[in-house]
Short mmCIF file of all heavy atoms in Angstrom, two decimals:
data_model
loop_
_atom_site.label_atom_id
_atom_site.label_comp_id
_atom_site.label_asym_id
_atom_site.label_seq_id
_atom_site.Cartn_x
_atom_site.Cartn_y
_atom_site.Cartn_z
N MET D 1 0.84 -1.17 0.00
CA MET D 1 0.00 0.00 0.00
C MET D 1 0.89 1.24 0.00
O MET D 1 1.87 1.32 0.72
CB MET D 1 -0.88 -0.02 1.24
CG MET D 1 -1.93 0.99 1.22
SD MET D 1 -3.08 0.47 2.48
CE MET D 1 -3.93 1.91 2.71
N LYS D 2 0.51 2.22 -0.79
CA LYS D 2 1.29 3.44 -0.90
C LYS D 2 0.97 4.37 0.26
O LYS D 2 -0.16 4.41 0.74
CB LYS D 2 0.99 4.16 -2.21
CG LYS D 2 1.43 3.41 -3.43
CD LYS D 2 1.14 4.22 -4.66
CE LYS D 2 1.58 3.49 -5.90
NZ LYS D 2 1.30 4.25 -7.12
N THR D 3 1.97 5.14 0.67
CA THR D 3 1.73 6.12 1.72
C THR D 3 1.33 7.45 1.07
O THR D 3 1.78 7.79 -0.02
CB THR D 3 2.99 6.34 2.57
OG1 THR D 3 4.03 6.81 1.73
CG2 THR D 3 3.40 5.06 3.26
N VAL D 4 0.48 8.15 1.75
CA VAL D 4 0.00 9.44 1.26
C VAL D 4 0.92 10.52 1.82
O VAL D 4 1.17 10.57 3.03
CB VAL D 4 -1.45 9.69 1.70
CG1 VAL D 4 -1.96 11.04 1.22
CG2 VAL D 4 -2.34 8.58 1.21
N PRO D 5 1.44 11.41 0.96
CA PRO D 5 2.29 12.48 1.47
C PRO D 5 1.52 13.40 2.42
O PRO D 5 0.32 13.59 2.28
CB PRO D 5 2.73 13.24 0.22
CG PRO D 5 2.20 12.50 -0.95
CD PRO D 5 1.26 11.46 -0.47
N ASP D 6 2.28 13.96 3.35
CA ASP D 6 1.65 14.86 4.32
C ASP D 6 1.14 16.11 3.62
O ASP D 6 1.78 16.65 2.72
CB ASP D 6 2.66 15.28 5.40
CG ASP D 6 3.00 14.12 6.32
OD1 ASP D 6 2.16 13.21 6.46
OD2 ASP D 6 4.10 14.12 6.89
N GLY D 7 0.01 16.62 4.06
CA GLY D 7 -0.52 17.87 3.54
C GLY D 7 -1.39 17.71 2.31
O GLY D 7 -1.88 18.70 1.77
N VAL D 8 -1.61 16.51 1.84
CA VAL D 8 -2.44 16.33 0.65
C VAL D 8 -3.90 16.55 0.99
O VAL D 8 -4.63 17.23 0.27
CB VAL D 8 -2.23 14.93 0.04
CG1 VAL D 8 -3.21 14.67 -1.09
CG2 VAL D 8 -0.80 14.78 -0.45
N PHE D 9 -4.32 16.01 2.08
CA PHE D 9 -5.72 16.13 2.49
C PHE D 9 -5.83 17.07 3.68
O PHE D 9 -5.93 16.66 4.82
CB PHE D 9 -6.30 14.76 2.85
CG PHE D 9 -6.32 13.80 1.69
CD1 PHE D 9 -5.44 12.74 1.64
CD2 PHE D 9 -7.21 13.98 0.64
CE1 PHE D 9 -5.45 11.86 0.57
CE2 PHE D 9 -7.22 13.11 -0.43
CZ PHE D 9 -6.34 12.04 -0.47
N LYS D 10 -5.82 18.35 3.38
CA LYS D 10 -5.95 19.35 4.44
C LYS D 10 -7.43 19.60 4.70
O LYS D 10 -8.22 19.74 3.75
CB LYS D 10 -5.28 20.66 4.04
CG LYS D 10 -3.78 20.59 3.96
CD LYS D 10 -3.21 21.95 3.64
CE LYS D 10 -1.70 21.90 3.56
NZ LYS D 10 -1.13 23.20 3.22
N PRO D 11 -7.81 19.70 5.97
CA PRO D 11 -9.21 20.04 6.24
C PRO D 11 -9.47 21.50 5.86
O PRO D 11 -8.64 22.37 6.08
CB PRO D 11 -9.34 19.83 7.75
CG PRO D 11 -7.95 19.93 8.27
CD PRO D 11 -7.05 19.48 7.17
N LYS D 12 -10.59 21.74 5.22
CA LYS D 12 -10.92 23.10 4.81
C LYS D 12 -11.60 23.84 5.97
O LYS D 12 -12.36 23.25 6.74
CB LYS D 12 -11.84 23.07 3.60
CG LYS D 12 -11.16 22.49 2.38
CD LYS D 12 -11.97 22.68 1.15
CE LYS D 12 -11.17 22.11 -0.03
NZ LYS D 12 -11.78 22.43 -1.29
N ALA D 13 -11.29 25.11 6.06
CA ALA D 13 -11.85 25.92 7.14
C ALA D 13 -13.33 26.18 6.87
O ALA D 13 -13.74 26.38 5.72
CB ALA D 13 -11.12 27.23 7.24
N THR D 14 -14.09 26.21 7.94
CA THR D 14 -15.51 26.49 7.80
C THR D 14 -15.71 28.00 7.64
O THR D 14 -14.78 28.79 7.84
CB THR D 14 -16.29 26.01 9.03
OG1 THR D 14 -15.83 26.73 10.18
CG2 THR D 14 -16.11 24.52 9.26
N THR D 15 -16.92 28.40 7.32
CA THR D 15 -17.22 29.82 7.14
C THR D 15 -16.97 30.58 8.44
O THR D 15 -16.42 31.69 8.42
CB THR D 15 -18.69 30.01 6.70
OG1 THR D 15 -18.91 29.23 5.52
CG2 THR D 15 -18.99 31.45 6.41
N GLY D 16 -17.35 30.01 9.54
CA GLY D 16 -17.13 30.65 10.84
C GLY D 16 -15.65 30.83 11.14
O GLY D 16 -15.24 31.86 11.67
N GLU D 17 -14.87 29.83 10.82
CA GLU D 17 -13.43 29.92 11.05
C GLU D 17 -12.80 30.97 10.15
O GLU D 17 -11.90 31.69 10.56
CB GLU D 17 -12.78 28.55 10.82
CG GLU D 17 -13.12 27.52 11.88
CD GLU D 17 -12.59 26.13 11.55
OE1 GLU D 17 -12.31 25.86 10.36
OE2 GLU D 17 -12.47 25.33 12.48
N LYS D 18 -13.27 31.05 8.90
CA LYS D 18 -12.75 32.05 7.98
C LYS D 18 -13.04 33.46 8.49
O LYS D 18 -12.18 34.33 8.46
CB LYS D 18 -13.37 31.88 6.59
CG LYS D 18 -12.88 30.65 5.86
CD LYS D 18 -13.56 30.52 4.51
CE LYS D 18 -13.21 29.22 3.82
NZ LYS D 18 -13.92 29.07 2.54
N LYS D 19 -14.27 33.68 8.97
CA LYS D 19 -14.64 34.99 9.51
C LYS D 19 -13.82 35.30 10.76
O LYS D 19 -13.37 36.43 10.96
CB LYS D 19 -16.13 35.05 9.82
CG LYS D 19 -17.00 35.10 8.60
CD LYS D 19 -18.46 35.17 8.98
CE LYS D 19 -19.35 35.19 7.75
NZ LYS D 19 -20.79 35.23 8.09
N SER D 20 -13.64 34.31 11.58
CA SER D 20 -12.88 34.49 12.81
C SER D 20 -11.42 34.83 12.50
O SER D 20 -10.84 35.72 13.13
CB SER D 20 -12.95 33.22 13.66
OG SER D 20 -12.15 33.35 14.80
N ASP D 21 -10.86 34.13 11.54
CA ASP D 21 -9.47 34.41 11.14
C ASP D 21 -9.34 35.82 10.57
O ASP D 21 -8.37 36.53 10.85
CB ASP D 21 -8.99 33.39 10.12
CG ASP D 21 -8.77 32.00 10.73
OD1 ASP D 21 -8.67 31.91 11.97
OD2 ASP D 21 -8.72 31.02 9.96
N ALA D 22 -10.30 36.23 9.74
CA ALA D 22 -10.26 37.57 9.15
C ALA D 22 -10.37 38.63 10.24
O ALA D 22 -9.65 39.64 10.21
CB ALA D 22 -11.38 37.73 8.14
N THR D 23 -11.24 38.41 11.22
CA THR D 23 -11.40 39.36 12.32
C THR D 23 -10.12 39.43 13.15
O THR D 23 -9.69 40.52 13.53
CB THR D 23 -12.59 38.94 13.21
OG1 THR D 23 -13.76 38.87 12.40
CG2 THR D 23 -12.80 39.91 14.34
N THR D 24 -9.53 38.29 13.42
CA THR D 24 -8.30 38.25 14.19
C THR D 24 -7.18 38.99 13.47
O THR D 24 -6.44 39.77 14.09
CB THR D 24 -7.89 36.79 14.47
OG1 THR D 24 -8.95 36.15 15.17
CG2 THR D 24 -6.61 36.72 15.27
N LYS D 25 -7.06 38.78 12.17
CA LYS D 25 -6.01 39.46 11.40
C LYS D 25 -6.24 40.96 11.38
O LYS D 25 -5.29 41.74 11.53
CB LYS D 25 -5.97 38.91 9.97
CG LYS D 25 -5.38 37.53 9.87
CD LYS D 25 -5.37 37.03 8.45
CE LYS D 25 -4.84 35.60 8.37
NZ LYS D 25 -4.86 35.09 6.98
N ALA D 26 -7.49 41.38 11.21
CA ALA D 26 -7.80 42.82 11.19
C ALA D 26 -7.50 43.45 12.54
O ALA D 26 -6.91 44.53 12.61
CB ALA D 26 -9.26 43.04 10.81
N ALA D 27 -7.89 42.77 13.61
CA ALA D 27 -7.64 43.29 14.95
C ALA D 27 -6.14 43.38 15.22
O ALA D 27 -5.66 44.37 15.79
CB ALA D 27 -8.31 42.41 16.00
N GLN D 28 -5.39 42.38 14.80
CA GLN D 28 -3.95 42.39 15.02
C GLN D 28 -3.28 43.51 14.23
O GLN D 28 -2.36 44.16 14.73
CB GLN D 28 -3.35 41.03 14.62
CG GLN D 28 -1.91 40.88 15.04
CD GLN D 28 -1.74 40.95 16.55
OE1 GLN D 28 -2.49 40.35 17.30
NE2 GLN D 28 -0.74 41.67 16.99
N GLN D 29 -3.76 43.78 13.03
CA GLN D 29 -3.21 44.88 12.24
C GLN D 29 -3.47 46.22 12.92
O GLN D 29 -2.60 47.09 12.96
CB GLN D 29 -3.80 44.88 10.83
CG GLN D 29 -3.29 43.75 9.97
CD GLN D 29 -3.99 43.71 8.62
OE1 GLN D 29 -5.00 44.34 8.41
NE2 GLN D 29 -3.41 42.94 7.69
N ILE D 30 -4.67 46.39 13.46
CA ILE D 30 -5.02 47.63 14.16
C ILE D 30 -4.14 47.80 15.40
O ILE D 30 -3.59 48.87 15.65
CB ILE D 30 -6.51 47.65 14.53
CG1 ILE D 30 -7.36 47.75 13.27
CG2 ILE D 30 -6.82 48.79 15.49
CD1 ILE D 30 -8.84 47.51 13.51
N ILE D 31 -3.98 46.74 16.16
CA ILE D 31 -3.16 46.78 17.37
C ILE D 31 -1.71 47.10 17.03
O ILE D 31 -1.07 47.92 17.70
CB ILE D 31 -3.27 45.46 18.15
CG1 ILE D 31 -4.68 45.30 18.73
CG2 ILE D 31 -2.23 45.37 19.25
CD1 ILE D 31 -4.98 43.92 19.28
N ASP D 32 -1.19 46.46 15.97
CA ASP D 32 0.19 46.73 15.56
C ASP D 32 0.37 48.18 15.12
O ASP D 32 1.38 48.81 15.45
CB ASP D 32 0.61 45.79 14.44
CG ASP D 32 0.75 44.34 14.90
OD1 ASP D 32 0.85 44.12 16.13
OD2 ASP D 32 0.76 43.44 14.04
N ALA D 33 -0.60 48.72 14.39
CA ALA D 33 -0.52 50.11 13.94
C ALA D 33 -0.54 51.07 15.13
O ALA D 33 0.21 52.06 15.17
CB ALA D 33 -1.66 50.42 12.99
N GLU D 34 -1.40 50.81 16.11
CA GLU D 34 -1.48 51.66 17.30
C GLU D 34 -0.18 51.58 18.11
O GLU D 34 0.29 52.59 18.63
CB GLU D 34 -2.67 51.26 18.16
CG GLU D 34 -4.01 51.63 17.55
CD GLU D 34 -5.19 51.12 18.36
OE1 GLU D 34 -4.99 50.33 19.31
OE2 GLU D 34 -6.32 51.52 18.04
N THR D 35 0.39 50.40 18.22
CA THR D 35 1.64 50.23 18.95
C THR D 35 2.76 51.00 18.27
O THR D 35 3.54 51.69 18.93
CB THR D 35 2.01 48.74 19.04
OG1 THR D 35 0.95 48.04 19.71
CG2 THR D 35 3.30 48.53 19.81
N GLU D 36 2.83 50.90 16.96
CA GLU D 36 3.87 51.62 16.21
C GLU D 36 3.70 53.14 16.38
O GLU D 36 4.67 53.85 16.61
CB GLU D 36 3.81 51.24 14.73
CG GLU D 36 4.83 51.94 13.88
CD GLU D 36 6.26 51.56 14.21
OE1 GLU D 36 6.49 50.45 14.72
OE2 GLU D 36 7.15 52.38 13.94
N ALA D 37 2.46 53.62 16.29
CA ALA D 37 2.21 55.05 16.45
C ALA D 37 2.59 55.52 17.85
O ALA D 37 3.17 56.59 18.02
CB ALA D 37 0.74 55.36 16.17
N ARG D 38 2.29 54.71 18.87
CA ARG D 38 2.63 55.06 20.25
C ARG D 38 4.14 55.12 20.43
O ARG D 38 4.66 56.04 21.07
CB ARG D 38 2.01 54.05 21.22
CG ARG D 38 2.26 54.41 22.68
CD ARG D 38 1.68 53.38 23.63
NE ARG D 38 2.39 52.12 23.51
CZ ARG D 38 1.85 50.97 23.14
NH1 ARG D 38 0.59 50.89 22.85
NH2 ARG D 38 2.59 49.87 23.07
N GLU D 39 4.86 54.16 19.86
CA GLU D 39 6.31 54.15 20.00
C GLU D 39 6.95 55.34 19.29
O GLU D 39 7.89 55.94 19.82
CB GLU D 39 6.87 52.84 19.45
CG GLU D 39 6.54 51.64 20.34
CD GLU D 39 6.95 50.31 19.73
OE1 GLU D 39 7.39 50.29 18.56
OE2 GLU D 39 6.83 49.31 20.43
N VAL D 40 6.42 55.72 18.13
CA VAL D 40 6.94 56.87 17.40
C VAL D 40 6.70 58.15 18.21
O VAL D 40 7.59 59.00 18.35
CB VAL D 40 6.31 56.97 16.00
CG1 VAL D 40 6.60 58.30 15.34
CG2 VAL D 40 6.79 55.83 15.13
N LYS D 41 5.50 58.27 18.76
CA LYS D 41 5.17 59.46 19.56
C LYS D 41 6.04 59.53 20.81
O LYS D 41 6.53 60.60 21.17
CB LYS D 41 3.69 59.43 19.94
CG LYS D 41 3.26 60.63 20.74
CD LYS D 41 1.77 60.56 21.07
CE LYS D 41 1.34 61.74 21.91
NZ LYS D 41 -0.07 61.66 22.27
N THR D 42 6.23 58.40 21.47
CA THR D 42 7.06 58.36 22.67
C THR D 42 8.49 58.79 22.36
O THR D 42 9.09 59.57 23.11
CB THR D 42 7.04 56.95 23.29
OG1 THR D 42 5.69 56.61 23.61
CG2 THR D 42 7.89 56.88 24.54
N GLU D 43 9.03 58.30 21.26
CA GLU D 43 10.39 58.66 20.88
C GLU D 43 10.49 60.15 20.57
O GLU D 43 11.43 60.83 20.98
CB GLU D 43 10.82 57.84 19.65
CG GLU D 43 12.23 58.11 19.20
CD GLU D 43 13.29 57.68 20.19
OE1 GLU D 43 13.00 56.85 21.08
OE2 GLU D 43 14.42 58.17 20.09
N ARG D 44 9.49 60.69 19.86
CA ARG D 44 9.48 62.11 19.53
C ARG D 44 9.42 62.96 20.79
O ARG D 44 10.17 63.94 20.95
CB ARG D 44 8.29 62.43 18.63
CG ARG D 44 8.18 63.88 18.22
CD ARG D 44 6.98 64.13 17.31
NE ARG D 44 5.73 63.66 17.85
CZ ARG D 44 4.96 64.34 18.71
NH1 ARG D 44 5.34 65.52 19.13
NH2 ARG D 44 3.82 63.85 19.14
N LEU D 45 8.56 62.60 21.73
CA LEU D 45 8.43 63.36 22.97
C LEU D 45 9.69 63.24 23.83
O LEU D 45 10.10 64.21 24.47
CB LEU D 45 7.20 62.89 23.75
CG LEU D 45 5.86 63.23 23.12
CD1 LEU D 45 4.73 62.58 23.90
CD2 LEU D 45 5.66 64.73 23.04
N ARG D 46 10.31 62.07 23.83
CA ARG D 46 11.53 61.89 24.62
C ARG D 46 12.65 62.78 24.08
O ARG D 46 13.35 63.44 24.84
CB ARG D 46 11.97 60.42 24.59
CG ARG D 46 13.17 60.13 25.49
CD ARG D 46 13.58 58.67 25.41
NE ARG D 46 14.14 58.33 24.12
CZ ARG D 46 15.41 58.59 23.76
NH1 ARG D 46 16.22 59.19 24.60
NH2 ARG D 46 15.85 58.25 22.58
N LEU D 47 12.78 62.82 22.76
CA LEU D 47 13.80 63.67 22.16
C LEU D 47 13.53 65.15 22.43
O LEU D 47 14.45 65.92 22.71
CB LEU D 47 13.89 63.42 20.65
CG LEU D 47 14.46 62.05 20.26
CD1 LEU D 47 14.36 61.86 18.75
CD2 LEU D 47 15.87 61.88 20.74
N ALA D 48 12.25 65.54 22.40
CA ALA D 48 11.90 66.93 22.69
C ALA D 48 12.21 67.27 24.15
O ALA D 48 12.72 68.36 24.45
CB ALA D 48 10.43 67.17 22.40
N ARG D 49 11.94 66.35 25.06
CA ARG D 49 12.23 66.58 26.48
C ARG D 49 13.73 66.71 26.70
O ARG D 49 14.19 67.60 27.43
CB ARG D 49 11.67 65.44 27.34
CG ARG D 49 12.01 65.58 28.82
CD ARG D 49 11.48 64.42 29.63
NE ARG D 49 11.85 63.13 29.11
CZ ARG D 49 13.01 62.51 29.34
NH1 ARG D 49 13.93 63.08 30.09
NH2 ARG D 49 13.24 61.31 28.83
N LEU D 50 14.50 65.84 26.08
CA LEU D 50 15.96 65.91 26.24
C LEU D 50 16.52 67.21 25.67
O LEU D 50 17.41 67.82 26.27
CB LEU D 50 16.62 64.70 25.58
CG LEU D 50 16.36 63.35 26.26
CD1 LEU D 50 16.94 62.22 25.43
CD2 LEU D 50 16.90 63.33 27.66
N ALA D 51 15.99 67.66 24.55
CA ALA D 51 16.44 68.92 23.96
C ALA D 51 16.08 70.09 24.87
O ALA D 51 16.87 71.02 25.07
CB ALA D 51 15.83 69.11 22.58
N HIS D 52 14.89 70.05 25.46
CA HIS D 52 14.45 71.11 26.37
C HIS D 52 15.33 71.14 27.62
O HIS D 52 15.72 72.21 28.09
CB HIS D 52 12.99 70.90 26.73
CG HIS D 52 12.45 71.92 27.67
ND1 HIS D 52 12.22 73.22 27.30
CD2 HIS D 52 12.12 71.84 28.99
CE1 HIS D 52 11.76 73.90 28.34
NE2 HIS D 52 11.69 73.08 29.38
N GLU D 53 15.62 69.98 28.17
CA GLU D 53 16.47 69.91 29.36
C GLU D 53 17.89 70.39 29.06
O GLU D 53 18.52 71.02 29.90
CB GLU D 53 16.50 68.48 29.91
CG GLU D 53 15.21 68.05 30.56
CD GLU D 53 15.24 66.59 31.02
OE1 GLU D 53 16.23 65.89 30.73
OE2 GLU D 53 14.26 66.16 31.64
N ALA D 54 18.38 70.10 27.87
CA ALA D 54 19.73 70.53 27.51
C ALA D 54 19.80 72.05 27.34
O ALA D 54 20.83 72.66 27.60
CB ALA D 54 20.18 69.85 26.22
N ALA D 55 18.69 72.67 26.94
CA ALA D 55 18.66 74.11 26.73
C ALA D 55 18.53 74.89 28.04
O ALA D 55 18.87 76.06 28.10
CB ALA D 55 17.50 74.48 25.80
N GLN D 56 18.05 74.25 29.08
CA GLN D 56 17.86 74.91 30.37
C GLN D 56 19.21 75.07 31.07
O GLN D 56 20.03 74.16 31.05
CB GLN D 56 16.92 74.09 31.27
CG GLN D 56 15.51 73.97 30.74
CD GLN D 56 14.82 75.30 30.69
OE1 GLN D 56 14.96 76.12 31.58
NE2 GLN D 56 14.08 75.55 29.61
N PRO D 57 19.44 76.25 31.71
CA PRO D 57 20.69 76.41 32.46
C PRO D 57 20.66 75.53 33.71
O PRO D 57 19.60 75.25 34.26
CB PRO D 57 20.69 77.89 32.82
CG PRO D 57 19.26 78.29 32.80
CD PRO D 57 18.61 77.43 31.74
N ALA D 58 21.84 75.13 34.12
CA ALA D 58 21.94 74.29 35.31
C ALA D 58 21.62 75.14 36.54
O ALA D 58 22.17 76.22 36.72
CB ALA D 58 23.33 73.70 35.43
N VAL D 59 20.73 74.67 37.37
CA VAL D 59 20.34 75.37 38.59
C VAL D 59 21.16 74.81 39.74
O VAL D 59 21.12 73.61 40.01
CB VAL D 59 18.84 75.18 38.88
CG1 VAL D 59 18.43 75.89 40.15
CG2 VAL D 59 18.01 75.66 37.69
N PRO D 60 21.97 75.66 40.41
CA PRO D 60 22.77 75.14 41.53
C PRO D 60 21.85 74.74 42.69
O PRO D 60 20.84 75.37 42.97
CB PRO D 60 23.66 76.31 41.91
CG PRO D 60 22.95 77.53 41.42
CD PRO D 60 22.17 77.08 40.20
N VAL D 61 22.23 73.68 43.34
CA VAL D 61 21.45 73.18 44.47
C VAL D 61 21.92 73.90 45.72
O VAL D 61 23.12 73.91 46.03
CB VAL D 61 21.62 71.66 44.60
CG1 VAL D 61 20.85 71.13 45.81
CG2 VAL D 61 21.19 70.96 43.33
N LYS D 62 21.00 74.52 46.44
CA LYS D 62 21.35 75.23 47.67
C LYS D 62 21.35 74.25 48.83
O LYS D 62 20.52 73.34 48.90
CB LYS D 62 20.35 76.34 47.95
CG LYS D 62 20.37 77.45 46.93
CD LYS D 62 19.40 78.53 47.31
CE LYS D 62 19.41 79.66 46.31
NZ LYS D 62 18.45 80.71 46.69
N ALA D 63 22.27 74.48 49.74
CA ALA D 63 22.32 73.66 50.94
C ALA D 63 21.16 74.08 51.83
O ALA D 63 20.79 75.25 51.90
CB ALA D 63 23.64 73.86 51.68
N PRO D 64 20.56 73.14 52.53
CA PRO D 64 19.44 73.50 53.40
C PRO D 64 19.92 74.41 54.53
O PRO D 64 21.05 74.29 55.02
CB PRO D 64 18.94 72.17 53.94
CG PRO D 64 20.05 71.20 53.71
CD PRO D 64 20.84 71.72 52.56
N ARG D 65 19.08 75.35 54.93
CA ARG D 65 19.44 76.27 56.00
C ARG D 65 19.42 75.55 57.33
O ARG D 65 18.54 74.73 57.59
CB ARG D 65 18.45 77.43 56.04
CG ARG D 65 18.48 78.24 54.74
CD ARG D 65 17.48 79.34 54.75
NE ARG D 65 17.88 80.35 55.74
CZ ARG D 65 17.14 81.39 56.08
NH1 ARG D 65 15.96 81.56 55.55
NH2 ARG D 65 17.58 82.27 56.95
N ARG D 66 20.38 75.88 58.15
CA ARG D 66 20.44 75.27 59.47
C ARG D 66 19.51 76.02 60.40
O ARG D 66 19.41 77.24 60.36
CB ARG D 66 21.85 75.33 60.03
CG ARG D 66 22.81 74.45 59.30
CD ARG D 66 24.13 74.44 60.02
NE ARG D 66 25.04 73.52 59.38
CZ ARG D 66 26.19 73.17 59.90
NH1 ARG D 66 26.58 73.68 61.06
NH2 ARG D 66 26.97 72.33 59.27
N ARG D 67 18.86 75.29 61.21
CA ARG D 67 17.98 75.90 62.20
C ARG D 67 18.80 76.24 63.43
O ARG D 67 19.64 75.46 63.89
CB ARG D 67 16.85 74.96 62.59
CG ARG D 67 15.89 74.68 61.45
CD ARG D 67 14.75 73.85 61.94
NE ARG D 67 13.81 73.60 60.85
CZ ARG D 67 12.67 73.00 61.01
NH1 ARG D 67 12.32 72.55 62.20
NH2 ARG D 67 11.87 72.82 59.99
N SER D 68 18.52 77.39 63.95
CA SER D 68 19.24 77.75 65.18
C SER D 68 18.61 77.01 66.36
O SER D 68 17.42 76.75 66.40
CB SER D 68 19.19 79.26 65.39
OG SER D 68 17.85 79.67 65.53
N LYS D 69 19.45 76.71 67.32
CA LYS D 69 18.94 76.02 68.49
C LYS D 69 18.18 77.00 69.35
O LYS D 69 18.58 78.14 69.55
CB LYS D 69 20.09 75.42 69.31
CG LYS D 69 20.80 74.32 68.55
CD LYS D 69 21.90 73.71 69.40
CE LYS D 69 22.60 72.61 68.65
NZ LYS D 69 23.67 72.03 69.44
N ALA D 70 17.08 76.56 69.85
CA ALA D 70 16.27 77.42 70.70
C ALA D 70 16.97 77.60 72.04
O ALA D 70 17.53 76.67 72.62
CB ALA D 70 14.89 76.80 70.90
N LYS D 71 16.95 78.85 72.52
CA LYS D 71 17.58 79.11 73.80
C LYS D 71 16.63 78.71 74.92
O LYS D 71 15.44 79.04 74.89
CB LYS D 71 17.91 80.58 73.92
CG LYS D 71 18.97 81.03 72.93
CD LYS D 71 19.31 82.48 73.12
CE LYS D 71 20.37 82.90 72.15
NZ LYS D 71 20.71 84.31 72.30
N LEU D 72 17.14 78.02 75.87
CA LEU D 72 16.34 77.60 77.01
C LEU D 72 16.59 78.55 78.16
O LEU D 72 17.72 78.86 78.52
CB LEU D 72 16.72 76.18 77.45
CG LEU D 72 16.47 75.09 76.38
CD1 LEU D 72 17.00 73.77 76.89
CD2 LEU D 72 15.00 74.99 76.07
N ASN D 73 15.58 79.08 78.78
CA ASN D 73 15.70 79.99 79.94
C ASN D 73 15.24 79.35 81.17
O ASN D 73 14.45 78.61 81.39
CB ASN D 73 14.95 81.29 79.73
CG ASN D 73 15.65 82.16 78.68
OD1 ASN D 73 16.83 82.03 78.47
ND2 ASN D 73 14.87 83.02 78.08
#
């Protein structure tokens, strides 16, 4: 008896499975597009923040003022 090669008799997807696959692919494309847009925006804002911080003059840190000890009478 001859052996049948793998993949010759593939089960065909039902209409419900086809719709489900199409919906899943569409949803994944939308999610990927939103993720890409978010990453681009984050990078743009990060670069703008770094440029703004570089343009600001350095503010010296003041030492905290010492409190005088209360005199006891």
Side-chain angles (χ1 to χ4, degrees):
M1 190 163 163
K2 294 182 180 179
T3 60
V4 179
D6 290 334
V8 173
F9 297 107
K10 291 183 180 178
K12 295 190 178 189
T14 63
T15 305
E17 290 173 340
K18 289 179 186 177
K19 288 181 181 179
S20 176
D21 289 342
T23 302
T24 301
K25 287 180 184 178
Q28 190 61 44
Q29 288 175 346
I30 292 169
I31 291 169
D32 290 343
E34 289 175 351
T35 301
E36 180 66 26
R38 183 182 67 241
E39 289 173 353
V40 168
K41 181 179 178 182
T42 301
E43 182 67 19
R44 180 179 53 84
L45 291 174
R46 185 181 69 80
L47 291 174
R49 177 182 51 84
L50 292 174
H52 179 71
E53 288 176 355
Q56 296 295 320
V59 179
V61 178
K62 294 182 180 179
R65 297 178 69 187
R66 291 187 176 190
R67 294 185 179 186
S68 61
K69 294 182 180 179
K71 294 182 179 180
L72 299 175
N73 289 335

